[in-house]
Amino acid sequence: MTTDTHRVLRPSILYFGTPVVLLTTENDDGTFNLAPVSSAWALGQYVVLGLGCESQTARNLTVRPELVINVASPELWEQVERLAPLTGASPVPRSKRAVYRHERDKFGAAGLTPAGSDTVGPPRVAECGLQLEARARALTPGGGGLFLSVECEVIRVHADERIVVPGTQHIDPSVWNPLIYNFRHYHGLAPQVGHGFRSETAAAGAHGRR
Ligand SMILES: Cc1cc2nc3c(=O)[nH]c(=O)nc-3n(C[C@H](O)[C@H](O)[C@H](O)COP(=O)(O)O)c2cc1C
């Protein structure tokens, strides 16, 4: 129902602003794939991903569950966008042919640097401030065959020294800044407006330490 303040709309996309992660997975031939994804959310030590069924990433995780979830920051938006028209799938699936092309060396194409992981085969992306080594534990079909929901258990977290509250295990939310995909536009975070009642960093954060 249309009211004075809201219209009924049928937008072509519903990407209302979620962080961009770069997923590294292992291909059949032992090389590594790298793909941007914004359907990612965390609960406890799990991250759940929404992956198109035809992506090389989904295929890789179906047979080799190890991955790294590399969380991007705003300064990496151009590298992310260089990956946007690429797929590690060859041949390129029919549904993607009009827009996508195959690329074997995604790191080279994006200008990003692989760094060895500790507990999984796929590499970390050195330029990302947060790198989550993980293992896909459950892959559930959804969207009438369109996508897979992939539950990933995070095994090890690597954080850039600069985003860690010194002497603690905490990420400093006043320093960490995720890249946000907002209706196909890239954003950083706006300044903090408040904090949750369970914040463990409020005293040391933007309204205290700096
Ligand atoms: C910023 C951004 C966010 C994206 N988010 C998703 C997503 O959440 N899920 C998905 O399956 N594809 C997403 N894509 C599209 C994939 O990156 C694209 O399908 C790519 O070809 C996958 O690579 P792969 O086939 O090598 O795995 C996104 C692309 C960009 C640029």
Side-chain angles (χ1 to χ4, degrees):
M1 183 174 51
T2 297
T3 66
D4 285 349
T5 55
H6 288 69
R7 283 176 54 194
V8 172
L9 210 61
R10 287 179 61 88
S12 58
I13 52 169
L14 296 171
Y15 307 145
F16 48 74
T18 45
V20 177
V21 297
L22 296 172
L23 305 179
T24 52
T25 55
E26 187 177 344
N27 297 315
D28 289 339
D29 63 1
T31 61
F32 297 106
N33 192 40
L34 174 65
V37 161
S38 60
S39 306
W41 50 270
L43 205 52
Q45 296 302 308
Y46 279 75
V47 172
V48 182
L49 306 168
L51 297 180
C53 282
E54 297 209 306
S55 67
Q56 184 64 28
T57 302
R59 289 184 203 179
N60 285 346
L61 289 176
T62 303
V63 282
R64 286 169 299 274
E66 294 183 350
L67 74 158
V68 183
I69 302 163
N70 301 276
V71 194
S73 288
E75 64 272 14
L76 293 178
W77 82 266
E78 285 170 303
Q79 286 89 331
V80 170
E81 186 57 19
R82 273 182 225 141
L83 292 169
L86 308 179
T87 175
S90 177
V92 177
R94 187 183 299 275
S95 63
K96 294 179 90 165
R97 270 179 213 161
V99 179
Y100 290 84
R101 66 178 190 278
H102 170 67
E103 174 59 57
R104 202 178 142 76
D105 177 17
K106 299 264 202 98
F107 273 97
L112 293 168
T113 316
S117 295
D118 291 342
T119 65
V120 296
R124 297 174 290 142
V125 176
E127 289 82 357
C128 289
L130 263 180
Q131 306 147 347
L132 315 178
E133 297 184 16
R135 182 174 280 269
R137 295 293 188 196
L139 294 89
T140 310
L146 199 62
F147 59 78
L148 290 176
S149 295
V150 183
E151 295 171 37
C152 305
E153 182 180 2
V154 174
I155 298 162
R156 178 159 296 188
V157 176
H158 301 263
D160 187 318
E161 287 284 1
R162 291 168 293 187
I163 65 168
V164 179
V165 179
T168 76
Q169 297 291 313
H170 300 311
I171 304 297
D172 187 341
S174 72
V175 180
W176 166 243
N177 194 8
L179 173 64
I180 302 294
Y181 197 48
N182 177 22
F183 288 95
R184 291 202 171 119
H185 290 235
Y186 296 100
H187 291 249
L189 287 186
Q192 176 179 319
V193 294
H195 62 78
F197 80 107
R198 295 185 64 190
S199 167
E200 296 171 303
T201 52
H207 298 121
R209 195 155 53 81
R210 64 173 61 79

